[in-house]
């Protein structure tokens, strides 16, 4: 409550309202202890100051997630905060460690998915939004880390959502603790599947809930030492047995009765059931069906759940037979019998139901009738049988029905526990208590009395926990709390359960006396507790009593207290059912020895329940408790309806208000030093200007405003109740005075501004008038001056024109004469120069022609001589080839000669091409000279014609100029002679040109004939090679035949047969080549020549194999080192590729080289954490993969026309030299022996190597990407939390700053990490596509982490945090622009979610934005769920800007409701994509333009003679591969 000193005019306050509990308003006037308040409902009321509560005007519109952060922790503040969050679809709220859950009455699947469990896993309590997962995670973490068992108490009234909250807790605990299998099914699954079974037999429709649990449940989850679920147990409390026989309208009995009546026809016939309206236990109420519930489907679902739990089909039949028997028992009616005070079944219908019940119980019909109508009294001397009157028989019938149903329910619980299994070795457990809340109805009977006793006991436990938490908070902050009074309800508990004078003790005493009634029991209560402050007697009732509980006064009616408290089994009933032929029924009622000597044994339900309750509290006391209070927002069970009074009553009954009362007894208002100074610093601004210590500033500020009783902790300021309102009142006064000063200064500024504008306007008008007069005077003076200038310039122009005409005539005459003389001189010089040029060109042509003829003759002679020598040697080779012994020697000699001839042929071709090129150049020069001469002749003719015409014109104009002669006869004669000479010269030149062209054609024909001869010689050489190879094969065949013949002549017949049947098989070498040699001993009878050739060939092959192994070892030893790059290409990849291609391993059927290379790459990247090393191998592997992709083709996938070529060699030497004879044209023959003009048809080892190499590229890519993600994780967490840290250490004003840490340092760390990786990738020349993909996925990861943190943490969804994140995103944008698109790619686009979210946060006037503008312009990429989450979480502590309007929120809520059935649209969190975003084809297409001709091989290998091929013909080879 507020005091009159804290309430001033203009203060926002809360006032009690009979309709909505509390309503807000503004104080208009204060008159002593009364205030006049203007309400938001447009009413004005007068209220007492003591009934008015202050309202926090700075509270966020969407509320706070922890109500301990409220400035005013009182009833209206708590109610308003819960309502604000409920309107924003935030159904969970903390009150310290207590979770308040408001039932939304709608599906919210996005709050309970596996992604949400992953987010809450390991998160600190309170770090994320309130959620049952957070409570379960805190309990699990405390159990694992502290070794202490935990308990979670879920309470609330019927329909508040206790069962659903319990299911969520069970799901999360199973997620954290694993699923230890038991008999094929998990413990958690069996516990959850037990819910439908227990709900069917323990739930019923009540006034407030269609599925109300009429029993309490405590589930113990047992964990082993590793934190895994190892067992579970379910305990139940206080089943409402009276509901079996008594049901009030419009409630229903237990669900199982209606399910059985709606069962399939064969089951209904088996149990002899029918319409529920025909049974007495069901037709006491007019409610038989529930909206939206099909009892027949529920029956099938319950049967299925029983199967899962482990109840056999026989046991299920027995269970439902007992349920049907209970219904038939209710239809047995009694009438007076023939004996006095006796009874018997009323009619045939009753006897039919009696017989049916006996049949279902499998007992004797007469025995059942006697147990209902008679009692046997055993005395010391004799046994007496007593008849019961009809009323007593009906009571006996109901007692039998209740005890049978109660035993059935207990059997189900025990069966479920035995099926689930318990771990006797478990020392840790987490208990989940789902128990009824406080109940207060118009009629409260014994059940409500026991329920409220439970809640009183739990409330005491809750109060002790809350007080303990308060103590821990005060101790942690090191403040004095010893004088704080603890509020306890022990007096109510003593009133109810104290012995011997408690209510339960008096009730047990009354039940043991046969003649006691509820009136005598009530009188006993009145006499005993007359003076008790918690007990009272209603004025208008003689048997009721009222108890003042912590949640309010409850009046109990005692009519049925005695009957409901009795818990004994009648001896006749026990004997009857224990003798049943049904083992299930007899098992529920086993015979006990003490019952044989007594007719009945009294047992009190109240006492037994008290013992169970005490055992439960002992269990809870041994654990660390956690609390969830479930609240039902309305009694209509519909969404979006919040009834203030109903919710307020539940908060009181749930103990939330009691916890607030305990908190208010101490220090309810707690603020960190930064928040306190930020809010109340205006009360003493001079203190902040000269101090940088928040603690001293807070203390001095409180002393300055004269506040007493506060406490200064280590991190917070603790204020007593009412002190926050006093500080806010003073703050409002200061703000009011400041507003007045601002208004005064503003009015002065506006007045001065108006005066200055008026004076400025007057000065401007005067200046314009004076300017107009001055401009008119100036215009007149300018016109006079212009007239004088015009006259002067006209006179000057006329005189100048006359003079210039005279001068022009004279100059024209002189010019014509001088031009004629100059032209004649020029003409003579040009003719002389042309003649000299023609003579020099002709002499040069004759000399060059003579030289070319001589050179051509010499070459022709050399070619003829060499051809003659070659033919002679060929004939000799053919003769030598006929002798088998010398064939091998001749082969080697011929190969050398072939190579020499090939070289000479190439040299001859090169010389011929040079000669043709020189001849072509000479012809071109002659043609150009001829064209020049023809042009000169043409120009000379044109010049002569021009001069003739000029001469004619000059003769005609002789009378004009008499002084100069026009025609010079001497010159004309001379020119005529020269003209004739030129004509003759031109004619001779034309003849010579024709002759030259004719000789050129002859020479060209001769060159073509020689080229044809050279091609024929080349084809003959190739044919010679083919013949040599065939001879080699024939030689091998002859040797094998000779060897077989020798064996036949030397060995035994058996051995000869085995040798004759043996077939030589070529053997594969390590590098994939094949060895066709046969390991056999040479006989001594062989010829010396053959023996020598075979041994030489074997030694040659063995040496070649050893050299090949040595070459592979040298290659691996070289490339495993960092041999760097050449012209931006990896040397290692280039070297490996060249070697594999040269050795023709791509076509090998079997080889181990590829496996060794893969092992080398794997060992090189194993356990490597250096990104530079990983980038080096990423560059090499990707480049090698590109080369393989371009070179290899699958066998049979690409068809090609087979060309005529020699058969492939089978020996190592033949495969290594096959490139020399792979093409008919020597123009395409490469020095290195590798032909790149076609793709290689790869075999299986090469294709497997390509796939493994592709896998290693993906693996290295993933390692580099994941390493950077791990490096950025801590920085991203700091980035999203940095604004909160900076606000805690500093203030907005520069003069009030207490912090020194720069929040941008975290973003700088991210930029540095990105720059470091980019530099590493650039230095190692990683392909651009891989760099782009790496940074694209990294930016996508940044987007996911920042966006999810924004949606899960309300403190991050603020205006200032949006500005901070936006500045960080600007840094990333600058980085992308600096890195350029070739490296960054589309990385910036991956941040679209966080960019749009942050852009929305930093908008000032959000309330003016429509929904269409948000989804179309501002945030088109965000879903409705994400937008709704941001809008509801948004708050602004600096500028107090508001979120979007309620119309927009309502539109979003409607769309979310429509999409609630879609699983995809329900999730608002983003998932990180860790797939590999590229393939080998992508890499191949990216590296398409790379030129490998300038790559230098590894220097270490160039010194090895076996690797000399690496430096030969690189340009030609890789030009051809790029053409592919």
């Amino acid at each position: 409550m507020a005091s009159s000193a804290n309430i001033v005019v203009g203060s926002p306050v809360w006032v009690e309202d009979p309709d909505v509990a509390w309503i807000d308003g503004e104080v208009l006037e204060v008159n002593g202890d009364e205030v006049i308040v203007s309400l938001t409902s447009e009413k004005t009321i007068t209220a007492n100051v003591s009934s008015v509560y202050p309202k926090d005007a700075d509270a966020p519109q969407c509320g706070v997630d922890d109500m301990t952060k409220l400035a005013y922790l009182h009833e209206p503040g708590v109610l308003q905060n819960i309502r604000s969050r409920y309107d924003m679809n935030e159904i969970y709220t903390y009150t310290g460690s207590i979770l308040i859950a408001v039932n939304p009455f709608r599906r919210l699947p996005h709050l309970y998915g596996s992604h949400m469990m992953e987010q809450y896993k390991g998160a600190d309590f309170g770090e994320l939004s309130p959620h049952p997962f957070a409570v379960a995670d805190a309990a699990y973490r405390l159990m694992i880390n502290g070794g202490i068992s935990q308990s979670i108490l879920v309470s609330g009234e019927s329909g508040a959502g206790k069962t659903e909250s319990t299911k969520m807790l069970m799901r999360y605990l199973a997620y954290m603790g694993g699923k230890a299998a038991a008999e094929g099914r998990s413990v958690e699954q069996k516990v959850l599947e037990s819910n439908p079974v227990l709900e069917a037999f323990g739930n019923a429709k009540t006034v407030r809930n269609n599925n109300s649990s009429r029993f309490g449940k405590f589930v113990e989850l047992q964990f082993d030492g590793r934190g895994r679920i190892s067992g579970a147990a379910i305990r139940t409390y206080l089943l409402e047995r009276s509901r079996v026989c008594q049901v009030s309208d419009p409630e229903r009995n237990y669900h199982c009765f209606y399910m059985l009546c709606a069962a399939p026809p064969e089951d209904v016939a088996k149990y002899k059931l029918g319409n529920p309206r025909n049974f007495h236990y069901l037709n006491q109420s007019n409610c038989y069906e529930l909206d939206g519930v099909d009892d027949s489907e529920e029956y099938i679902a319950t049967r299925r759940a029983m199967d899962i739990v482990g109840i056999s089909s026989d046991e299920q039949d027995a269970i439902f037979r007992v349920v049907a028997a209970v219904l038939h028992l209710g239809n047995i009616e009694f009438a007076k019998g023939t004996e006095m005070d006796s009874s018997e079944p009323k009619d045939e219908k009753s006897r039919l139901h009696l017989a049916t019940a006996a049949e279902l119980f499998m007992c004797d019909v007469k025995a059942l009738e006697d147990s209902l109508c008679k009692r046997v009294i055993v005395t010391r001397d004799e046994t007496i049988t007593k008849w019961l009157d009809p009323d007593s028989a009906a009571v006996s019938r109901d007692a039998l029905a209740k005890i049978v149903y109660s035993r059935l329910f207990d059997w189900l619980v025990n069966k479920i526990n035995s099926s689930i299994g318990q771990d006797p070795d478990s020392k840790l457990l987490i208990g989940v208590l789902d128990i009824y809340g406080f109940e207060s109805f118009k009629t409260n009977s014994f059940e409500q009395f026991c329920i409220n006793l439970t809640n009183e006991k739990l409330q005491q436990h809750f109060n002790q926990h809350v007080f303990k938490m308060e103590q821990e908070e005060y101790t942690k902050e090191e403040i004095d709390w010893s004088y704080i009074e603890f509020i306890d309800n022990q007096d109510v508990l003593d009133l109810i359960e104290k012995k011997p004078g408690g209510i339960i003790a008096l009730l047990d005493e009354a039940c043991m006396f046969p003649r006691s009634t509820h009136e005598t029991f009530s009188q006993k209560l009145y006499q005993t507790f007359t003076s008790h402050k918690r007990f009272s007697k209603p004025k208008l009732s003689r048997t009721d009593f009222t108890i003042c509980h912590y949640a309010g006064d409850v009046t109990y009616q005692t009519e049925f207290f005695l009957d409901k408290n009795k818990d004994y089994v009648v001896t006749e009933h026990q004997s009857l059912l224990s003798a049943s032929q049904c083992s299930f029924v007899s098992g529920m009622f086993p015979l006990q020895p003490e019952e044989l000597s007594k007719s009945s044994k009294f047992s009190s339900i109240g006492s037994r329940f008290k013992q169970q309750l005490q055992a439960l509290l002992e269990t809870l006391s041994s654990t660390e408790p956690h609390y969830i209070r479930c609240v039902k927002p309305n009694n209509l069970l519909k969404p979006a309806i919040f009834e203030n009074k109903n919710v307020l009553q539940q908060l009181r009954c749930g103990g939330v208000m009691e916890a607030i009362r305990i908190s208010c007894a101490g220090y309810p208002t707690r603020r960190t030093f930064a928040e306190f100074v930020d809010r109340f610093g205006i009360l003493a601004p001079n203190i902040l200007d000269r101090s940088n210590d928040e603690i001293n500033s807070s203390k001095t500020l409180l002393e300055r405003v004269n506040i007493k009783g506060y406490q200064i902790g280590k991190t917070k300021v603790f204020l007593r109740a009412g002190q926050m309102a006093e500080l806010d009142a003073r703050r409002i006064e200061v703000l009011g005075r400041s507003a007045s000063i601002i208004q005064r200064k503003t009015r002065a500024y506006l007045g001065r501004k108006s005066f200055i504008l008026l004076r400025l306007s007057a000065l401007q008008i005067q200046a314009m008038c004076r300017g107009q007069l001055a401009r008119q005077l100036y215009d007149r003076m300018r016109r006079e001056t212009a007239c004088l200038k015009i006259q002067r310039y006209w006179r000057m122009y006329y005189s100048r024109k006359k003079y210039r005409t005279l001068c022009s005539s004279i100059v024209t005459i002189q010019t014509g004469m001088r031009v004629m003389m100059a032209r004649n001189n020029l003409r003579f010089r040009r003719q002389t120069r042309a003649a000299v040029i023609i003579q020099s060109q002709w002499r040069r042509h004759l000399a060059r022609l003579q030289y070319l003829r001589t050179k051509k003759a010499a070459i022709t002679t050399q070619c003829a001589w060499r051809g003659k020598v070659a033919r002679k040697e060929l004939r000799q080779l053919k003769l030598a080839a006929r002798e088998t012994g010398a064939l091998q020697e001749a082969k080697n000699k011929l190969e050398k000669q072939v190579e020499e001839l090939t070289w000479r042929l190439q040299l001859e071709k090169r010389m011929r091409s040079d000669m043709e090129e020189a001849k072509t150049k000479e012809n071109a020069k002659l043609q150009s000279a001829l064209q020049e001469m023809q042009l000169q002749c043409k120009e000379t003719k044109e010049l002569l014609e021009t001069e003739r015409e000029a001469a004619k014109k000059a003769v005609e104009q002789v009378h004009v100029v008499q002084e100069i002669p026009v025609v010079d006869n001497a010159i004309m004669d001379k020119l005529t002679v020269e003209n004739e000479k030129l004509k003759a010269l031109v004619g001779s030149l034309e003849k010579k040109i024709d002759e030259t062209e004719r000789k050129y054609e002859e020479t060209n024909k001769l060159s073509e004939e020689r080229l044809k001869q050279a091609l024929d010689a080349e084809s003959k050489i190739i044919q010679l090679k083919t013949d040599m190879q065939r001879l080699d094969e024939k030689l091998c065949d002859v040797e094998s035949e000779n060897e077989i013949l020798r064996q036949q002549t030397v060995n035994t017949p058996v051995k000869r047969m085995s040798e004759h049947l043996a077939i030589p098989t070529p053997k594969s070498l390590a590098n994939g080549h094949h060895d066709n040699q046969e390991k056999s001993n040479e006989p001594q009878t062989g010829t010396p020549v053959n023996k020598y050739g075979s041994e030489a060939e074997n030694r040659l092959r063995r040496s070649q194999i050893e050299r090949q192994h040595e070459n592979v070892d040298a290659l691996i030893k070289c490339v495993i080192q960092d041999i760097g790059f050449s012209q931006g290409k990896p040397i290692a990849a280039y070297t490996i590729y060249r070697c594999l291609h040269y050795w023709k391993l791509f076509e090998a059927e079997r080889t181990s080289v590829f496996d060794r290379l893969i092992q080398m790459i794997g060992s090189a990247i194993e356990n490597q954490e250096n990104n530079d090393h990983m980038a080096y191998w990423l560059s090499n592997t990707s480049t090698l993969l590109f080369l393989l992709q371009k070179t290899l083709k699958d066998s049979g996938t690409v068809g090609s026309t087979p060309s005529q070529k020699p058969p492939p060699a089978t020996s190592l030497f033949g495969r290594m030299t096959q490139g020399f004879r792979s093409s008919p044209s020597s123009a395409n023959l490469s020095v290195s022996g590798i032909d790149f003009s076609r793709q290689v048809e790869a075999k299986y080892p090469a294709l497997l190597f390509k796939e493994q190499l592709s896998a290693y590229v993906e693996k290295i890519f993933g390692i580099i990407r994941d390493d950077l993600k791990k490096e950025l994780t801590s920085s991203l967490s700091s980035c999203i939390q940095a604004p909160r840290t900076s606000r805690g250490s500093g203030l907005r004003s520069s003069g009030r700053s207490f912090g020194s840490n720069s929040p941008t340092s975290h973003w700088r760390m991210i930029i540095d990490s990105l720059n470091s990786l980019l530099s590493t990738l650039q230095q190692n020349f990683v392909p651009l596509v891989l760099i782009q993909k790496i940074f694209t996925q990294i930016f996508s990861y940044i987007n996911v982490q920042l966006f999810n943190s924004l949606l899960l943490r309300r403190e991050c969804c603020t205006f200032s945090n949006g500005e901070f994140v936006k500045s960080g995103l600007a840094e990333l944008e600058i980085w992308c622009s600096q890195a350029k698109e070739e490296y960054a790619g589309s990385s910036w686009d991956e941040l679209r979610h966080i960019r749009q979210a942050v852009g929305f946060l930093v908008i000032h006037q959000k309330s003016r934005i429509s929904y269409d503008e948000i989804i179309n312009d501002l945030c088109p990429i965000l879903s409705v769920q994400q937008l709704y989450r941001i809008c509801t979480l948004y708050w602004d502590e600096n500028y107090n800007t508001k979120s979007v309007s309620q119309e927009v929120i309502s539109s979003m809520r409607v769309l979310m409701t429509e999409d609630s059935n879609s699983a995809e649209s329900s999730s608002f969190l983003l998932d990180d994509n860790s797939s590999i975003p590229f393939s080998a084809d992508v890499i191949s297409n990216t590296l398409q333009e790379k030129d490998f001709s300038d790559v230098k091989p590894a220097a270490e290998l160039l010194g090895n003679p076996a690797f000399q091929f690496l430096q030969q013909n690189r340009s030609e080879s890789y030009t051809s591969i790029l053409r592919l």
Side-chain angles (χ1 to χ4, degrees), residues 665-911:
Y667 300 95
T669 303
R670 303 153 192 182
R671 288 289 182 271
T672 62
F673 296 121
E675 294 175 352
F676 183 79
V677 173
D678 185 47
R679 178 163 181 160
F680 299 110
I682 60 175
L683 299 180
N686 55 340
I687 297 175
L688 301 177
D689 293 337
R690 62 173 186 267
S691 174
N692 288 328
D693 187 359
E694 295 177 346
I695 300 177
N696 294 331
S697 299
S698 302
K699 188 181 300 184
T700 306
L701 193 150
L702 289 168
E703 293 175 354
R704 182 68 61 87
V705 296
N706 197 21
I707 297 293
K708 305 295 183 182
Y710 64 89
Q711 291 278 1
I712 300 294
K714 296 176 65 176
T715 62
K716 298 178 183 177
V717 177
F718 291 80
L719 300 177
R720 302 284 289 182
Q723 291 180 346
M724 189 71 175
E726 184 177 350
L727 288 172
D728 273 340
R730 298 193 181 188
R731 180 171 175 264
I732 292 173
E733 291 178 3
V734 173
L735 291 175
R737 289 196 300 269
S738 301
S740 300
I741 294 173
I742 293 172
Q743 291 174 359
R744 184 174 70 247
K745 295 293 184 182
T746 303
R747 293 190 187 101
Y749 167 74
L750 294 176
R752 180 174 177 79
K753 183 178 180 181
S754 176
F755 167 74
I756 292 174
L757 289 175
L758 184 61
R759 189 178 70 171
L760 181 62
S761 300
L763 292 175
Q764 289 178 350
I765 293 172
Q766 293 174 0
M768 291 176 64
C769 292
R770 295 189 184 107
Q772 183 66 24
L773 295 175
R775 282 190 293 272
Q776 291 177 357
L777 177 61
Y778 170 75
D779 188 59
R780 187 168 57 252
M781 294 174 66
R782 190 177 63 173
R783 285 177 178 273
E784 293 176 356
T785 305
C787 291
L788 294 175
K789 284 187 177 181
I790 290 172
Q791 293 174 3
R792 183 172 71 248
Y793 282 114
W794 168 249
R795 295 189 188 100
M796 181 182 66
Y797 169 74
Y798 181 76
S799 301
R800 183 182 294 170
K801 182 178 180 183
K802 186 176 180 182
Y803 171 76
R804 287 182 175 177
T805 302
L806 182 61
C807 289
S808 177
S809 300
I810 297 172
V811 171
T812 301
I813 295 172
Q814 296 175 352
T815 302
M817 299 301 297
R818 291 172 183 154
V819 166
M820 184 181 296
M821 295 175 64
R823 287 176 178 171
N824 293 334
N825 189 15
L826 176 63
R827 187 182 303 111
F828 174 74
R829 291 181 179 179
R830 291 179 64 182
Q831 290 175 355
T832 303
R833 187 178 65 181
V836 172
I837 291 173
I838 291 172
Q839 293 173 2
S840 63
Q841 292 293 332
W842 174 247
R843 295 189 187 99
R844 185 172 66 83
H845 169 71
L846 293 177
R848 182 170 182 80
L849 186 62
Q850 181 65 27
Y851 167 74
L852 292 177
R853 288 175 178 173
T854 306
K855 182 179 178 180
K856 183 177 180 181
I859 292 174
T860 303
T861 304
Q862 291 174 358
C863 290
W865 174 252
R866 289 169 185 153
K868 181 178 179 181
V869 172
R871 285 191 292 273
K872 183 178 180 181
E873 291 180 355
L874 179 61
R875 285 193 296 271
Q876 294 176 357
L877 290 174
K878 286 183 177 180
L879 292 175
R882 296 172 183 174
E883 297 181 2
T884 306
L887 191 61
Q888 184 67 31
E889 220 171 335
K891 173 184 173 184
N892 296 334
K893 185 175 179 181
L894 284 175
E895 285 180 350
K896 292 181 181 179
Q897 291 176 355
V898 167
E899 291 178 357
E900 184 179 358
L901 287 174
T902 304
W903 178 81
R904 289 181 179 178
L905 180 62
Q906 290 179 352
L907 180 60
E908 186 175 338
K909 281 188 176 182
R910 194 174 295 111
M911 293 175 62

Side-chain angles (χ1 to χ4, degrees), residues 436-472:
Y436 20 66
F438 192 89
E439 293 186 354
S440 178
F441 306 129
K442 292 182 179 180
T443 302
N444 301 287
S445 186
F446 181 72
E447 291 82 7
Q448 282 70 41
F449 178 76
C450 294
I451 289 172
N452 292 340
L453 170 61
T454 304
N455 283 273
E456 284 286 355
K457 298 283 285 185
L458 294 176
Q459 183 63 32
Q460 184 186 43
H461 185 267
F462 175 71
N463 290 346
Q464 292 173 353
H465 172 71
V466 171
F467 190 72
K468 178 183 176 183
M469 297 299 292
E470 291 286 315
Q471 289 178 353
E472 291 177 355

